Amino acid sequence: MATIATPVPASAPEPTYAETNRDVIATLRPPGRKYFAGMAFILVGLAFGAFCWGYQLRYGLGVTGYTPPIFWGTYITTFVFWVGIAHSGTLISAILLLFRSGWRTAVYRTAEAMTVFAVMTAGLFPVLHLGRAWYAYWVFPYPNFRGVWSNFRSPLVWDVFAISTYLTVSSTFLLMGLIPDVAAVRDQAAGWRRKLYGLVSFGWKGSDREWRHFGKMYLYLAGFATPLVLSVHSVVSWDFAMAIVPGWHATIFAPYFVAGAIFSGCGMVITILVPLRKAFHLERYIQVRHFESLAKVCLLTASIVAYAYATEFFMAWYSGNPFERASFYNRAFGQYWWATWIMLTCNAFIPQLLWFRKVRTSIRALFVISIFINIGMWFERFVIIVTGLSHEYEPWQWSYYLPRWPELGILIGSFCWFSMWFLLFIKFFPAVAIAEVKEALPAPVRAGGHR
Amino acid sequence: MKRRRFLQVAGAAGAGLAAGCSSGSTDRLLPYVTPPEDIVPGIPTFYASTCRECPAGCGIHVKTREARAIKVEGNPAHPVSRGRLCARGQASLQGLYDPDRIRGPFRHTARGLEPVTWDAAIAQLAEALGAAAASGPDRVALVTGADSGALDGFYDEWLRAFRSTRRLRYETFAYEPLREASRLAFGVASVPEFDFASARYLLSFGADFLETWISPVQYTREFAEAHGFRDGGMARFVAVEPRRGLTAFNADEWIAPRPGTEGLLALALAASVVRQGRAHLVGAEADRVRGFLGRFGTQSVAEATGVDEAVVDRLAREFTAAQPSLAVGGGVAHQHRAATQTAVAVHLLNYVAGNVGRTVRFQTGRALDKLSRYSDATALVTAMAGGKVDVALVHDANPAFTLPRAAGFADAFRKVGLKVAFASHFDETAALCDLILPDHTPLEQWGALETVAGTRSFVQPAMTPVFDTRQTADVLAAVAQKAGKRVAAGAASARDLVAKGLAPAALEQTLQHGGQFGPAQQRSVYLVSDFARMAYQPPAFDGDAAGPVLVVYPSASLFDGRGANKGWLQELPDVATKIAWQSWIEVHPDTARALGLGTGDVVTVTSPHGSVEAPVHVYPGVRRDVVAMPIGQGHREYGRTAKGRGVNPLDLLGADATDASGALAFCSTHVKIQKTGRSVQLASTEGSARQLGRGVARAVSLAAARQGEVEEGPEATITDAERTAIAAAAASQRQRAYIGEYAKPQPKWEMTVDLSRCTGCSACMTACYAENNIPVVGEEQTVRHRGMAWIRLERYFEGDTSGTDWQVRQIPMLCQQCENAPCEPVCPVYASYHTPDGLNGQVYNRCVGTRYCANNCPYKVRYFNWWDYGTVGDPYFAFSEPLNWQLNPDVTVRTKGVMEKCTFCIQRIRFAQNDAKVRGRELVDGEITPACVQTCPADAFVFGDAHDPDSRVSRSKADARGYNVFDMLNARPGITYLERVIRGEGA
Amino acid sequence: MSARTGVVGVFGQLDATVTAIETLKARGYANYRVYSPVPRPELAEALAKRESPVRLFTLFGALSGTAFGFFYAIATSLDWPLITGGKPIIAWPPFIVIGFETTILIGALVTVAGMFLLAGLPKLGRAPGYDPRFSNDKFGVVAFGGPAQLAEAREIFGHCGAEEVRDV
């Protein structure tokens, strides 16, 4: 979809406190036909995904395209994809908070919500890729009569801890940030809404005492979220790096994956913000400069990722390890050349356009590029996982994998699942952080003019 | 009588259990009221018997549990099999439990198939026979398979009782040329006994003696004895044939003459031997032979065969330099219009080399010598077509499938008044019959075979019949009685015939032993000159000479097609092409390129006699002017597994394509190959045919091996410093790992595989299927690499495959039971863990199916249950009644979504350990054998406790040829492979 | 706090609010409360409260998280020692990951709990003198005390330019 950016004229005055409240809370007005149409579409997709999983549960993983020795495919690819998406949210909301960068306030709420929902989506995949999903809870170390705990040496158990911690902390972070805004919504609502928002705001009043502790708490949460976000994707990357599969077993993986995650996340933030901003007329709050900053982050991380690709190929060659060499030669020129080149084009080449200010400040261009970034980052994980497995040590056991319809159905379903939560969110909670936007605005003073 | 009663009791109990297993309900599970003395629940009972899957007649032990046959192994006391067994022999179990078996007597009427009672059937048959006998001599025809001993005699006698001598001992491969050549050369129309074991130089003209030829299990054992590397020595093996199959894979040198010219080459060799004055000939005979061989100048032969003169002279020199040597002819070399001449030539070569009487011995009374010829079969067809036969009985043979369609068996057969099938399946022949009287399968039968001279090999039931079937001999006896004839002194049953002349005690003792095995009576032979009268030139081929010659060869797993309804054999990848479930045509890469063909392209293969469609398999193992197709598929009837699968290349052959001995010339026509434009995915298990220097399957030349040198792998790049560092790290880790149960003194189960013995016969794979309840996944899943075989035979080509100077590396790949197993630490739930006795345990009911272990296994020997193979009623249920009767009670049937793998047959290990414990004895080295080790005809495996320095495995590990695959990964595998040794020219 | 009589001044400007607070302090008022839609450093300065003790909760939570993570991993591994890949039963590198994650998890949760405790949330009842506008664009100062003090407060608020002064 194309979206026409309506840049805020320089003359336009900064919004006042009241305007901010008014405009943001306006986003919570009862939705229109378009919204319901979209929601219906999404629910259909979700239902199809659910059907695919049911079908798979009934007959077994045989319904997928898995072709040994390729035992992981679309599901794990999509898992890593969504975890990656999650990361930029925390980056913007927590890390940039620590860095006191002003531009985050307008976009962080969306980003943070995206984080939570992306993790909720990602969390599904390790379960539904299992051969016996109904025993997924066995990976948690809980006391049981079998007397067996979890194998803490397994990266998958690290995953369990990392992902669940990440989900808890990031959703807490989102909830805490919401408190003052929900209070604001409450104070303008009536009837059951007032009660509901009253509960969610924990009865926040904005007294000096509340603000005092709240501020610190928020700071420390950000302090926790920052190392967490770095650890989570490192742990995810270790699912691969800890294995001895050629093409997986590399120390570069942790930083490489974190960079990739933020890259894909910022891409997704742009993809979401452009239509959101348009639909809710938030141009005054989510401004072009915000997009430009996001674009800069994309450009930086894209370059890091491109560098990582280069390093991987270089190391494969330089190591002299015949297995690594074969694996990477196959990656670039083997059966999966197409996936690899999609990845390189979308992640390494196209983002280079962002060097140009003109591109960075054109909402339409950014939107298109962000789509490419999303596609490219999905393929990055596909390339790493599938080409690695397709061409391992044992030449007799080389083969070729392509996903089958149940896998694609579940992939689509995951997007719908994510969008469903997001759509619900923007109708129930302020998609822009009222308090923090106001915080960034000049306070009203007696002298009248700004000081 | 006691045994009969016991079998009844056992069978009844078995039926009860069966109901329990299949329906999942327990209401039929009843305890024994009075336990039968031969059955101890949980303890297997073995019955000695004889394998009937091919004419070789291997001795077998049928392992039964709770009166249910669950596995077939070789009988160690038997002279033919010596305790080993091939894939086909082991699959006889699936014949016993085949859900497509005919479950009772049937009659074909206008209304179609309808069940009859045995009595009615017998009455009808007796009546028909009476009438036939009355209307004149030879109105009755009886077709059986290769039978011998008591029952065979009975059949003839029975036939005589009805005034007929029309008896066919029909086998698809009856070795007529060999027998005829023996007559022409030595005056003895017999298949000689070949002594591979003591030969120091082996020359095979097309004989696939490691696959189907005469006695594969015995020959594989003997070949491994001779050709396996031991104490710095081994025999050299040169294979001469236009298509390189499994047997030729094991050759040190492959020579590919033009099809049909093998005989000329053999003669040229003999001539060269004589010319070089190396012939073991004396006196007038020497002159005669020299005179005869003089006709075959090396040069003219070189032109005819396409084999260089120098090569001929070299081979002649090598062949005679090694003493004793052995030349054998068979397979494709004995399946063209000059087959008999070829066989004579090979005999002569052996004779001049002085091998006759040493490695080629003639004996009296081999079952093979009595086999009917192909020409006898066609004669019967003519007789039937001419209305000369009123009653035809077919037992243990399927001529409607194994005779070329051009022979017109079906049409002639239809002309017979009453056609009776004593078959287990509605195969092509049974489908034509009026009466279907289902026979017992060999595991339910009685018999006493005299396959090899000097042996009397018994067949006895291992359990009560699964279905309402009767042994043919019993039926025939009943029929004779009904018709008022007295046959075999009124013997009423096969058992009576077998027991004749044996006191009950003696019978019991013989049955336990498996038979009476005496020394073979040798007969000395001398050269007779009849052979000289034949014309020796390349054979004629039908069809347009522009097209390639079609080589039709028996499938090593399906044989002549009789194995086609057995899932184990269908799923067993072809030993050479590694394709399962399908038919294919092998085309040389250059030829394929010329025709614009790729692997999987479906082509129309046309001969003057017919045409079939098959996918192309581009294969360097055939000459450019040759294409090859396996026999075995293309059944139009038979059963759910076989029916409508693949094509039968016999449809391309002419019925009158015979040689001097009246044998069918399977290799007798040129074919035309046309693209259809369609393409299919071949169900091949081959990922890459090249190992790209990864040192998976290694080989070393004999010269190098003698110096203690070996072929090195990628691990060679690790420096000694690194090795010591790794060792130190390992030691410290070990210290912190091996606590608790692990710290106690434990055995460490390890295995060695001698690749200089392994022939790639794949018997181990079927053994594993049988022992470990491995599901058969079918064609579509095999295409998707989802086969479940825990042990597989990998086959790599080494060297430039454009010519003939390349080698084949084969290696059995199974779980390496690594000490530092990469598969273990990645499992989140401890389903994969290390047992204190050094195995990679896999806890099926703990596995949640992350498949991480399989990703991290460098050897790719973990197999995932993509479907629900083990649940009754599931669309993918792999053990449909009564196949589930075969399941090994000691092994779980795995459920959907779990990973499974080899654990060195942990159940066999534990059984032996428990047995030792209850008997308060020590385990003996070699007492424990995983199924693959137990059955290996080449005895390539050694298994045992590596913590015991004196165990065979410990000593075998120390061999200089020993290596670990992917050693640089430091997984420390528990399997040590001993490099194959290739004995080059002269060496 | 239980509802005591007080007076609230509703301010439209930040600096007015600040002066009001400062004057109250100067007059020796101890018992007053400030409502604001956003946290402003100016207000914090004016109020001059000491550092929030939330950080103590954070420290405690984080440390106990670390301890728990390592203890759990080690204890369960020793409970039934099973060798995987020949690795030590107590394998530090992987346990560090576990310890790290639990540090963050428990640390974060305890911090939040601490904030709720200190800020007296949740507080679902009405707060004396609170006005919905305080979450929008107005600042509010509520002074409590005896009638005399309240009168004075009223006067101060008015003087400082409160848009509205009410008793509560």
Side-chain angles (χ1 to χ4, degrees):
Chain A
M1 62 176 278
T3 309
I4 297 84
T6 52
V8 183
S11 59
E14 294 265 24
T16 66
Y17 280 12
E19 287 169 335
T20 312
N21 275 43
R22 185 198 63 212
D23 296 347
V24 174
I25 292 172
T27 64
L28 302 182
R29 282 207 212 93
R33 197 181 283 99
K34 272 197 197 142
Y35 179 90
F36 285 111
M39 189 54 119
F41 181 79
I42 283 166
L43 290 179
V44 170
L46 183 57
F48 179 60
F51 165 77
C52 289
W53 191 29
Y55 180 76
Q56 175 180 305
L57 284 173
R58 164 65 184 82
Y59 292 103
L61 277 176
V63 303
T64 62
Y66 288 124
T67 314
I70 299 160
F71 288 90
W72 285 359
T74 305
Y75 294 147
I76 299 298
T77 301
T78 317
F79 162 70
V80 182
F81 172 77
W82 281 113
V83 177
I85 295 299
H87 280 50
S88 69
T90 321
L91 170 94
I92 294 168
S93 54
I95 301 183
L96 295 188
L97 174 76
L98 296 185
F99 287 133
R100 301 233 186 294
S101 74
W103 64 272
R104 72 176 268 284
T105 53
V107 298
Y108 103 85
R109 174 66 45 77
T110 326
E112 187 63 28
M114 188 189 77
T115 296
V116 174
F117 301 141
V119 178
M120 282 167 58
T121 316
L124 299 176
F125 281 88
V127 174
L128 53 74
H129 105 116
L130 286 184
R132 301 205 291 175
W134 47 97
Y135 289 135
Y137 62 93
W138 284 3
V139 303
F140 288 99
Y142 63 97
N144 61 72
F145 72 93
R146 296 181 297 276
V148 196
W149 303 86
S150 302
N151 178 5
F152 285 102
R153 295 167 216 124
S154 166
L156 291 186
V157 174
W158 311 350
D159 255 2
V160 171
F161 277 72
I163 300 294
S164 48
T165 303
Y166 191 35
L167 181 57
T168 322
V169 171
S170 55
S171 42
T172 313
F173 197 59
L174 175 67
L175 208 61
M176 290 304 112
L178 272 170
I179 288 179
D181 295 5
V182 172
V185 178
R186 171 199 62 201
D187 293 342
Q188 309 205 352
W192 64 270
R193 272 209 181 65
R194 187 180 182 82
K195 286 202 175 52
L196 178 71
Y197 285 110
L199 282 173
V200 180
S201 68
F202 299 98
W204 175 270
K205 301 289 187 309
S207 72
D208 51 310
R209 177 185 174 200
E210 289 167 352
W211 279 121
R212 175 167 157 241
H213 302 301
F214 181 88
K216 284 293 168 214
M217 177 278 296
Y218 203 62
L219 193 67
Y220 293 133
L221 269 194
F224 276 125
T226 305
L228 175 62
V229 71
L230 299 182
S231 82
V232 168
H233 221 61
S234 304
V235 168
V236 170
S237 79
W238 292 337
D239 288 348
F240 309 105
M242 290 290 152
I244 61 173
V245 177
W248 286 13
H249 191 55
T251 47
I252 191 180
F253 261 40
Y256 162 26
F257 267 50
V258 172
I262 291 165
F263 178 51
S264 65
C266 289
M268 187 57 97
V269 174
I270 295 176
T271 319
I272 291 173
L273 277 181
V274 169
L276 184 79
R277 167 176 187 264
K278 179 86 173 69
F280 291 135
H281 313 294
L282 294 172
E283 287 82 1
R284 289 177 76 191
Y285 305 90
I286 307 173
Q287 300 167 7
V288 175
R289 62 187 179 91
H290 297 128
F291 283 104
E292 187 173 1
S293 317
L294 280 169
K296 283 175 182 164
V297 179
C298 285
L299 181 56
L300 172 69
T301 46
S303 314
I304 298 177
V305 167
Y307 172 76
Y309 296 156
T311 315
E312 273 192 306
F313 279 96
F314 172 77
M315 286 314 294
W317 167 77
Y318 188 68
S319 69
N321 178 329
F323 304 100
E324 288 287 333
R325 283 186 176 183
S327 176
F328 277 89
Y329 181 87
N330 177 60
R331 179 176 291 188
F333 309 109
Q335 282 171 303
Y336 284 107
W337 64 270
W338 51 273
T340 309
W341 289 100
I342 291 176
M343 167 187 94
L344 290 173
T345 318
C346 296
N347 298 349
F349 303 145
I350 292 182
Q352 300 310 321
L353 293 170
L354 297 171
W355 286 106
F356 303 102
R357 193 164 194 294
K358 258 193 148 22
V359 181
R360 285 205 304 274
T361 51
S362 149
I363 302 294
R364 184 186 281 143
L366 281 181
F367 185 74
V368 174
I369 290 179
S370 76
I371 298 289
F372 275 115
I373 293 175
N374 294 331
I375 296 171
M377 284 310 292
W378 189 89
F379 269 98
E380 175 190 302
R381 280 60 173 253
F382 183 87
V383 166
I384 291 170
I385 292 169
V386 175
T387 64
L389 291 174
S390 73
H391 223 71
E392 262 198 73
Y393 295 93
E394 187 77 22
W396 192 255
Q397 293 292 84
W398 286 347
S399 70
Y400 187 65
Y401 155 92
L402 284 180
R404 294 214 169 179
W405 66 267
E407 291 161 282
L408 300 176
I410 289 178
L411 172 60
I412 294 164
S414 75
F415 276 88
C416 295
W417 166 262
F418 172 82
S419 324
M420 177 189 74
W421 288 108
F422 202 86
L423 279 193
L424 289 175
F425 177 80
I426 56 176
K427 273 300 161 190
F428 282 95
F429 298 103
V432 174
I434 303 174
E436 299 195 39
V437 166
K438 286 197 281 192
E439 205 176 338
L441 293 175
V445 287
R446 214 177 309 172
H450 301 170
R451 58 164 136 172
Chain B
M1 278 308 121
K2 203 161 107 259
R3 165 170 298 278
R4 279 179 94 84
R5 217 203 95 269
F6 138 64
L7 284 169
Q8 286 153 3
V9 176
L17 279 167
C21 296
S22 53
S23 69
S25 70
T26 55
D27 52 1
R28 301 277 303 281
L29 275 175
L30 303 171
Y32 294 115
V33 181
T34 51
E37 77 274 24
D38 293 32
I39 296 180
V40 184
I43 306 296
T45 317
F46 292 82
Y47 294 100
S49 187
T50 308
C51 179
R52 307 283 275 116
E53 298 301 307
C54 82
C58 296
I60 55 172
H61 274 171
V62 184
K63 182 182 186 181
T64 66
R65 272 287 299 272
E66 288 79 49
R68 204 68 75 63
I70 60 164
K71 195 168 186 297
V72 177
E73 301 180 347
N75 174 359
H78 198 281
V80 178
S81 58
R82 293 240 185 279
R84 312 315 179 121
L85 203 58
C86 70
R88 277 178 284 134
Q90 299 179 72
S92 55
L93 267 177
Q94 287 206 317
L96 171 67
Y97 293 131
D98 190 332
D100 299 324
R101 270 183 69 182
I102 305 171
R103 308 191 171 204
F106 283 94
R107 173 190 287 144
H108 249 130
T109 68
R111 291 185 303 287
L113 212 57
E114 56 190 33
V116 288
T117 65
W118 279 103
D119 296 345
I122 288 167
Q124 182 187 356
L125 181 51
E127 190 186 335
L129 284 166
S135 65
D138 290 342
R139 307 293 301 177
V140 180
L142 173 59
V143 180
T144 69
D147 222 325
S148 58
L151 297 187
D152 186 58
F154 168 77
Y155 294 140
D156 284 342
E157 203 179 326
W158 181 89
L159 207 48
R160 274 199 300 281
F162 293 100
R163 299 179 58 203
S164 176
T165 54
R166 288 200 194 275
R167 169 84 193 278
L168 217 56
R169 288 183 191 80
Y170 176 74
E171 277 290 334
T172 317
F173 306 102
Y175 311 103
E176 304 96 326
L178 189 50
R179 286 146 59 195
E180 177 66 5
S182 304
R183 192 182 64 76
L184 291 167
F186 304 115
V188 186
S190 172
V191 172
E193 178 58 42
F194 300 102
D195 180 359
F196 287 80
S198 53
R200 306 312 301 149
Y201 194 101
L202 286 165
L203 197 49
S204 164
F205 294 87
D208 58 332
F209 58 86
L210 299 178
E211 292 154 85
T212 64
W213 191 68
I214 299 182
S215 189
V217 172
Q218 177 189 350
Y219 292 160
T220 304
R221 182 183 72 243
E222 295 182 355
F223 171 76
E225 280 303 304
H227 191 252
F229 177 80
R230 206 193 308 106
D231 319 330
M234 67 184 277
R236 174 159 152 82
F237 171 31
V238 178
V240 182
E241 51 192 299
R243 171 188 179 266
R244 192 173 196 176
L246 178 80
T247 307
F249 282 178
N250 291 278
D252 301 294
E253 183 177 356
W254 174 40
I255 290 165
R258 290 201 180 82
T261 62
E262 300 88 350
L264 293 176
L265 188 60
L267 288 166
L269 277 167
S272 173
V273 168
V274 173
R275 221 180 311 104
Q276 297 179 41
R278 300 168 150 276
H280 294 241
L281 295 168
V282 284
E285 183 181 60
D287 303 334
R288 241 175 45 234
V289 174
R290 198 173 289 110
F292 171 75
L293 291 176
R295 294 194 240 154
F296 307 99
T298 326
Q299 189 179 356
S300 61
V301 169
E303 282 159 17
T305 59
V307 179
D308 192 53
E309 302 173 37
V311 175
V312 174
D313 289 335
R314 170 170 62 81
L315 290 179
R317 192 171 57 253
E318 291 175 6
F319 187 66
T320 40
Q323 283 299 328
S325 56
L326 171 62
V328 292
V332 58
H334 284 188
Q335 291 173 345
H336 48 69
R337 288 189 170 92
T340 307
Q341 289 88 328
T342 309
V344 169
V346 175
H347 274 333
L348 280 178
L349 179 55
N350 276 319
Y351 193 77
V352 296
N355 296 331
V356 177
R358 297 171 74 188
T359 53
V360 182
R361 292 190 298 268
F362 287 87
Q363 305 168 341
T364 45
R366 276 198 83 150
L368 292 176
D369 301 347
K370 295 194 286 177
L371 287 180
S372 311
R373 301 164 173 235
Y374 169 75
S375 50
D376 303 333
T378 46
L380 177 63
V381 170
T382 325
M384 293 193 296
K388 294 194 177 63
V389 179
D390 297 337
V391 179
L393 309 100
V394 184
H395 159 54
D396 190 20
N398 185 9
F401 175 80
T402 52
L403 285 174
R405 201 190 280 178
F409 174 86
D411 297 337
F413 196 54
R414 283 199 190 83
K415 293 205 173 65
V416 176
L418 180 69
K419 306 171 286 297
V420 185
F422 298 95
S424 294
H425 292 81
F426 284 105
D427 56 29
E428 287 76 358
T429 311
L432 299 169
C433 290
D434 312 300
L435 265 185
I436 295 96
L437 309 178
D439 190 8
H440 287 343
T441 59
L443 297 183
E444 304 160 312
Q445 280 176 4
W446 286 99
L449 304 170
E450 290 154 19
T451 45
V452 187
T455 69
R456 190 147 179 265
S457 187
F458 278 63
V459 182
Q460 67 167 323
M463 62 185 280
T464 37
V466 178
F467 298 118
D468 178 17
T469 59
R470 291 192 190 180
Q471 184 160 359
T472 306
D474 299 10
V475 178
L476 293 182
V479 168
Q481 231 165 14
K482 191 92 180 165
K485 313 276 186 196
R486 181 172 168 76
V487 181
S493 72
R495 188 181 181 285
D496 299 353
L497 293 161
V498 170
K500 192 174 292 173
L502 281 171
L507 178 63
E508 200 68 23
Q509 199 263 337
T510 315
L511 286 172
Q512 279 173 11
H513 196 60
Q516 301 154 327
F517 313 124
Q521 189 191 342
Q522 307 295 336
R523 74 162 39 168
S524 57
V525 295
Y526 55 89
L527 198 63
V528 297
S529 54
D530 302 358
F531 64 84
R533 284 195 291 278
M534 306 183 82
Y536 291 85
Q537 66 244 99
F541 290 95
D542 309 342
D544 173 8
V549 169
L550 174 70
V551 168
V552 173
Y553 63 94
S555 155
S557 41
L558 308 180
F559 197 34
D560 61 355
R562 63 184 71 171
N565 205 47
K566 299 190 175 104
W568 289 348
L569 297 180
Q570 284 280 9
E571 191 129 311
L572 187 68
D574 177 78
V575 286
T577 61
K578 298 299 171 183
I579 299 169
W581 289 102
Q582 297 167 333
S583 283
W584 64 88
I585 179 166
E586 294 160 23
V587 181
H588 188 277
D590 296 352
T591 318
R593 209 172 296 112
L595 294 166
L597 295 171
T599 289
D601 292 350
V602 179
V603 293
T604 316
V605 187
T606 318
S607 83
H609 311 284
S611 84
V612 298
E613 282 190 353
V616 168
H617 173 62
V618 177
Y619 181 62
V622 288
R623 283 175 57 99
R624 284 172 184 70
D625 55 1
V626 166
V627 293
M629 291 183 78
I631 305 175
Q633 303 283 26
H635 282 274
R636 292 174 188 81
E637 301 289 340
Y638 200 3
R640 67 189 71 173
T641 315
K643 193 169 177 176
R645 179 175 294 289
V647 296
N648 184 357
L650 296 178
D651 295 352
L652 298 170
L653 301 184
D656 52 0
T658 55
D659 79 328
S661 68
L664 172 63
F666 289 86
C667 174
S668 58
T669 179
H670 291 279
V671 291
K672 188 140 146 293
I673 299 197
Q674 292 153 301
K675 252 184 159 165
T676 60
R678 280 178 295 112
S679 178
V680 298
Q681 256 190 310
L682 287 176
S684 162
T685 60
E686 171 189 271
S688 158
R690 293 289 185 154
Q691 56 177 340
L692 311 159
R694 294 186 171 199
V696 179
R698 305 183 187 179
V700 60
S701 77
L702 178 60
R706 284 200 176 119
Q707 312 304 322
E709 297 165 14
V710 291
E711 180 187 352
E712 299 207 312
E715 75 279 2
T717 56
I718 301 176
T719 67
D720 296 347
E722 287 166 333
R723 286 184 195 285
T724 42
I726 293 168
S732 79
Q733 284 225 331
R734 214 188 145 73
Q735 220 183 16
R736 287 177 294 147
Y738 283 66
I739 62 174
E741 198 52 31
Y742 294 87
K744 300 178 183 162
Q746 300 274 9
K748 185 176 191 304
W749 304 115
E750 289 201 9
M751 183 185 275
T752 64
V753 187
D754 188 342
L755 299 182
S756 79
R757 294 185 75 93
C758 174
T759 66
C761 73
S762 306
C764 46
M765 293 180 69
T766 307
C768 190
Y769 270 77
E771 174 70 25
N772 293 302
N773 302 340
I774 297 177
V776 170
V777 302
E779 176 177 357
E780 197 247 346
Q781 298 301 309
T782 309
V783 166
R784 295 167 67 181
H785 289 247
R786 288 176 176 181
M788 302 292 269
W790 289 358
I791 177 172
R792 61 174 182 262
L793 257 294
E794 299 186 352
R795 187 262 297 119
Y796 296 109
F797 298 137
E798 285 288 325
D800 172 15
T801 49
S802 63
T804 60
D805 181 20
W806 45 277
Q807 286 297 342
V808 179
R809 306 279 185 87
Q810 300 188 99
I811 180 171
M813 185 53 70
L814 61 158
C815 176
Q816 305 283 305
Q817 316 292 350
C818 309
E819 190 177 322
N820 303 337
C823 58
E824 289 166 357
V826 295
C827 176
V829 294
Y830 282 121
S832 166
Y833 77 107
H834 210 65
T835 67
D837 48 358
L839 301 174
N840 298 133
Q842 177 71 11
V843 188
Y844 300 133
N845 54 7
R846 178 70 182 160
C847 176
V848 297
T850 67
R851 307 186 297 293
Y852 200 174
C853 52
N855 285 344
N856 214 29
C857 171
Y859 308 93
K860 293 286 166 258
V861 286
R862 295 180 146 266
Y863 303 89
F864 187 72
N865 285 270
W866 301 105
W867 306 99
D868 209 344
Y869 294 115
T871 299
V872 182
D874 188 273
Y876 282 84
F877 182 50
F879 310 97
S880 47
E881 187 88 24
L883 277 176
N884 57 343
W885 294 25
Q886 180 274 331
L887 292 172
N888 181 353
D890 292 338
V891 178
T892 334
V893 176
R894 279 75 61 186
T895 176
K896 167 177 70 184
V898 305
M899 193 62 70
E900 62 181 62
K901 65 179 282 293
C902 157
T903 48
F904 280 165
C905 289
I906 185 91
Q907 68 279 8
R908 291 170 79 111
I909 296 175
R910 293 292 176 257
F911 184 86
Q913 286 176 325
N914 297 341
D915 186 68
K917 188 178 284 172
V918 293
R919 296 177 199 281
R921 59 180 180 86
E922 287 294 310
L923 275 172
V924 188
D925 180 39
E927 169 183 7
I928 303 175
T929 56
C932 50
V933 179
Q934 191 284 329
T935 206
C936 178
D939 199 9
F941 297 92
V942 176
F943 178 83
D945 174 10
H947 280 172
D948 167 9
D950 309 327
S951 64
R952 274 182 71 216
V953 74
S954 301
R955 282 180 274 123
S956 172
K957 261 178 80 175
D959 190 307
R961 293 180 293 134
Y963 70 96
N964 297 130
V965 179
F966 304 141
D967 195 25
M968 67 284 166
L969 296 177
N970 192 37
R972 301 170 56 80
I975 296 184
T976 306
Y977 292 94
L978 308 187
E979 295 189 359
R980 182 186 168 188
V981 181
I982 294 169
R983 181 173 166 185
E985 296 177 13
Chain C
M1 287 183 198
S2 62
R4 246 189 292 125
T5 51
V7 60
V8 57
V10 179
F11 296 83
Q13 294 87 12
L14 179 62
D15 49 358
T17 324
V18 170
T19 20
I21 296 168
E22 274 157 359
T23 338
L24 282 179
K25 274 167 76 183
R27 301 286 182 84
Y29 275 80
N31 190 356
Y32 56 88
R33 184 184 304 167
V34 181
Y35 294 106
S36 63
V38 294
R40 296 293 308 192
E42 296 87 341
L43 294 172
E45 280 165 34
L47 294 162
K49 292 270 172 62
R50 55 180 176 71
E51 181 69 32
S52 156
V54 165
R55 52 186 176 170
L56 298 176
F57 285 82
T58 311
L59 181 67
F60 168 76
L63 292 181
S64 47
T66 321
F68 171 76
F70 279 97
F71 166 78
Y72 202 58
I74 293 169
T76 55
S77 302
L78 288 175
D79 178 40
W80 183 354
L82 288 169
I83 293 182
T84 59
K87 304 199 184 310
I89 298 299
I90 298 176
W92 290 107
F95 293 1
I96 288 170
V97 178
I98 306 300
F100 178 88
E101 298 300 339
T102 45
T103 304
I104 299 225
L105 180 63
I106 299 177
L109 293 180
V110 172
T111 308
V112 171
M115 186 278 284
F116 273 67
L117 216 65
L118 296 166
L121 291 175
K123 179 161 67 250
L124 298 182
R126 8 188 337 282
Y130 179 73
D131 184 307
R133 285 173 293 172
F134 295 159
S135 68
N136 186 353
D137 58 344
K138 299 291 182 238
F139 300 81
V141 184
V142 190
F144 303 98
Q149 288 176 303
L150 293 185
E152 185 178 15
R154 222 175 274 115
E155 179 263 328
I156 293 170
F157 292 160
H159 177 266
C160 295
E163 298 175 350
E164 177 184 330
V165 180
R166 278 191 288 111
D167 288 345
V168 289

